[in-house]
Amino acid sequence: MSVEHASMRIIEGYAHGGTDLAADEVWAVEAHLEACRVCRDRLSAVVSAGVPAMASLVDTVWSGLEPQLAVTATMPRGRRWSAPLSRWMTPTMVPWLAMVVGVTLLALLLDLSDTGSGEVSLVLLLAPVLPVLGVAASWSRGLDPAYELTASVPRAGLYLVLRRTASVLGVVVPVLLVGGWVTGVMVAQWLLPCLAFTSTTLALGGVVGVTRAAVVLSTVWAGMVVAPTLATSRTTFALQTDGLPAWGLILAIGIGVVIARRGAYTVLGAHR
């Protein structure tokens, strides 16, 4: 299978600091260089021939590091399953996802024991905000000590946000599916609000930060839906089947905003 390589114009521009290249070209060539040895060799040749000051700097740094690397013990290789897993989630996400799963199971137990909110399923009531907690943890500046590195790598931005969001949904949705099946709640009745809240969190997160967006939306949901529902033990319009078209519209709008503002997730502000 043929591989499309970067042009010499882009390689030479990148070697000279990328000042003459567009931002998307710089990100694209950096991502391409990760997997293409041919272009890395071409870049090395251009740097050696056209940017002697950079080549001299690299040689100086390497001459100082090489003796230390020769006597430094190498880290043991990680387990094979850990490398693919690390591409989808961070260690800080694990306890948060465990908490989300635990809350879902607790809500299910309360529903089955008839000690919940009466006619309203707690699983249905909490489904929209449960994935939001995991999404906030996966893209939080305070919970990710490597957030600066995360935002600066070539594959950062929307690509990484969607990966981590997918990992959260991959854990939360099956648990909610079981909870909905046991309690007799329609799949669309909890899945559409769940996806709509997640997409809205990402859309608003491109403006104020994902964590702040999650806190704001969760607070609004708790004040406008959860509290009145628990107080009256009556299903609000937002949780009824008649409200599904509205959730579908919110989901579509959220996805559209995320796509339109995809560049906003490449900056550190998205970690707020």
Side-chain angles (χ1 to χ4, degrees):
M1 183 175 60
S2 61
V3 178
E4 184 176 353
H5 299 290
S7 65
M8 285 305 300
R9 178 188 68 84
I10 293 180
I11 292 290
E12 292 176 355
Y14 185 75
H16 287 82
T19 55
D20 296 331
L21 299 178
D24 56 343
E25 290 180 321
V26 174
W27 286 95
V29 72
E30 287 181 347
H32 178 71
L33 289 171
E34 287 183 350
C36 182
R37 180 166 184 172
V38 174
C39 288
R40 289 198 300 269
D41 292 340
R42 292 166 61 199
L43 176 63
S44 178
V46 171
V47 170
S48 300
V51 194
M54 180 65 70
S56 176
L57 176 61
V58 172
D59 291 339
T60 301
V61 173
W62 179 249
S63 63
L65 287 177
E66 189 174 17
Q68 300 179 37
L69 294 175
V71 298
T72 302
T74 58
M75 294 292 292
R77 296 186 63 181
R79 297 180 181 179
R80 292 182 178 179
W81 57 267
S82 62
L85 188 63
S86 64
R87 300 191 187 113
W88 291 88
M89 61 177 60
T90 64
T92 55
M93 293 172 58
V94 177
W96 281 81
L97 290 177
M99 180 194 69
V100 169
V101 172
V103 170
T104 307
L105 295 178
L106 178 61
L108 177 59
L109 290 176
L110 291 176
D111 281 346
L112 296 178
S113 62
D114 294 330
T115 58
S117 56
E119 298 179 357
V120 182
S121 169
L122 289 177
V123 174
L124 176 62
L125 193 62
L126 297 178
V129 295
L130 287 177
V132 170
L133 299 177
V135 171
S138 69
W139 202 245
S140 171
R141 182 173 187 166
L143 295 176
D144 188 0
Y147 72 93
E148 291 182 347
L149 294 175
T150 300
S152 63
V153 297
R155 293 183 181 273
L158 183 60
Y159 176 82
L160 185 58
V161 170
L162 293 181
R163 269 199 168 196
R164 292 187 177 181
T165 302
S167 68
V168 172
L169 294 176
V171 174
V172 176
V173 169
V175 178
L176 289 174
L177 184 63
V178 173
W181 174 73
V182 173
T183 56
V185 178
M186 290 176 51
V187 173
Q189 201 171 353
W190 60 261
L191 183 59
L192 267 180
C194 176
L195 297 178
F197 244 73
T198 302
S199 66
T200 305
T201 300
L202 296 181
L204 186 59
V207 180
V208 301
V210 176
T211 304
R212 291 179 182 176
V215 171
V216 170
L217 291 177
S218 299
T219 302
V220 170
W221 180 260
M224 298 187 64
V225 177
V226 176
T229 300
L230 294 178
T232 61
S233 296
R234 299 172 65 181
T235 303
T236 63
F237 175 78
L239 298 174
Q240 297 175 4
T241 54
D242 293 340
L244 293 181
W247 286 116
L249 178 61
I250 294 173
L251 174 60
I253 294 175
I255 294 175
V257 172
V258 169
I259 295 174
R261 291 184 50 82
R262 56 187 177 275
Y265 303 98
T266 60
V267 298
L268 292 178
H271 291 263
R272 293 174 296 179

